[in-house]
Amino acid sequence: MTGQPVVIVGAGGFGREVADVIDAINRTASVPAWDLLGVHDEAPSQLNLSRLEDRGIPYLGPLPGDGSDRIVSFVVGIGNPRVREKLADLIEGWGWEPATLVHPAAVLGSAVRLGAGTVICGGVQVSTNVHTGRHVHVNPNATIGHDARLEHFVSVNPAATVSGEVVVGSRTLLGANSIVLQGLTVGADALVGAAACAVREVHPRTTVVGVPAKAR
Ligand SMILES: CC(C)(COP(=O)(O)OP(=O)(O)OC[C@H]1O[C@@H](n2cnc3c(N)ncnc32)[C@H](O)[C@@H]1OP(=O)(O)O)[C@@H](O)C(=O)NCCC(=O)NCCS
């Protein structure tokens, strides 16, 4: 018995990490949940094509101009929130179904609601009553505190800490090892630099870096 057909969009690093998440889910299920058909990418580098080949993952070419004649599940494996939003909107317009993936080595608390297309990687800790929007990425070893909200297309990079009751606006990226202190709002389209500690609200469309984090 095979699983649900799924394709990944993006042959880069995160796209291939998504393939690992799918493999891990299938390994722990009594029957495989997903049948990974391959990876779409507009213009993959030769290096990424050979990395796919080494892993035995088919390269499916660029996305079709119109995919509405075949319906599959898909995950956008691209870290950039704006690019991810553009592609997800296009593909969902064809009727393809976003796959929501949780690595079996992630720990999820109670009353967690994950938006369609969200990917939770291995080692992530999600506390209680956390909600994510569409196509949110939570990278390995990140921690999401109780009652937090990650709106659409947020990217939480590896080992970032989102404290309790934090709200992160759409398309915002939290850099690797960054921290957002409890109860704060990080506005939409913002960027919290790697290793920054946000101790005050972060305004929309603002990049902050450092400890304590300041706009640059
Ligand atoms: C903050 C960030 C967006 C800045 O990117 P950028 O605009 O390309 O910045 P640059 O690399 O040109 O650096 C500009 C200045 O900011 C400083 N800077 C860059 N990133 C910084 C960070 N995270 N914390 C503190 N200072 C930082 C640089 O030292 C440089 O300082 P200078 O002008 O005094 O020399 C980026 O460095 C970052 O932290 N992104 C998160 C990436 C991440 O999480 N990567 C892991 C992926 S798994």
Side-chain angles (χ1 to χ4, degrees):
M1 197 155 126
T2 57
Q4 172 83 14
V6 62
V7 299
I8 296 169
V9 180
F14 195 72
R16 285 173 288 106
E17 285 187 45
V18 170
D20 286 356
V21 175
I22 290 171
D23 285 349
I25 292 169
N26 283 343
R27 271 198 307 274
T28 52
S30 49
V31 288
W34 299 104
D35 176 18
L36 177 58
L37 303 181
V39 173
H40 283 290
D41 194 302
E42 285 305 303
S45 66
Q46 275 307 322
L47 184 56
N48 283 339
L49 281 176
S50 65
R51 286 166 169 158
L52 285 178
E53 195 178 341
D54 288 348
R55 292 211 27 201
I57 300 173
Y59 170 55
L60 303 173
L63 282 167
D66 178 0
S68 52
D69 56 338
R70 82 179 167 135
I71 303 298
V72 292
S73 293
F74 77 101
V75 189
V76 186
I78 295 175
N80 181 303
R82 290 190 163 279
V83 175
R84 189 155 80 245
E85 178 179 43
K86 198 164 151 238
L87 289 170
D89 286 350
L90 172 77
I91 297 167
E92 282 176 37
W94 302 333
W96 292 16
E97 191 69 32
T100 304
L101 302 176
V102 178
H103 193 291
V107 177
L108 265 58
S110 57
V112 169
R113 289 213 308 259
L114 302 179
T118 287
V119 180
I120 306 286
C121 294
V124 168
Q125 302 271 338
V126 179
S127 185
T128 184
N129 188 36
V130 169
H131 297 177
T132 74
R134 299 167 55 215
H135 300 274
V136 165
H137 286 176
V138 186
N139 278 268
N141 299 328
T143 303
I144 314 296
H146 62 87
D147 309 299
R149 300 288 178 265
L150 305 178
E151 294 178 352
H152 305 312
F153 306 102
V154 163
S155 287
V156 181
N157 278 356
T161 300
V162 175
S163 306
E165 299 189 344
V166 162
V167 177
V168 183
S170 296
R171 295 170 301 277
T172 282
L173 184 141
L174 305 182
N177 272 100
S178 64
I179 302 173
V180 182
L181 293 189
Q182 66 279 3
L184 294 176
T185 296
V186 181
D189 300 294
L191 201 156
V192 178
C197 180
V199 302
R200 303 268 180 269
E201 180 183 350
V202 177
H203 297 300
R205 300 176 296 284
T206 305
T207 296
V208 297
V209 297
V211 182
K214 296 213 162 57
R216 57 186 286 271

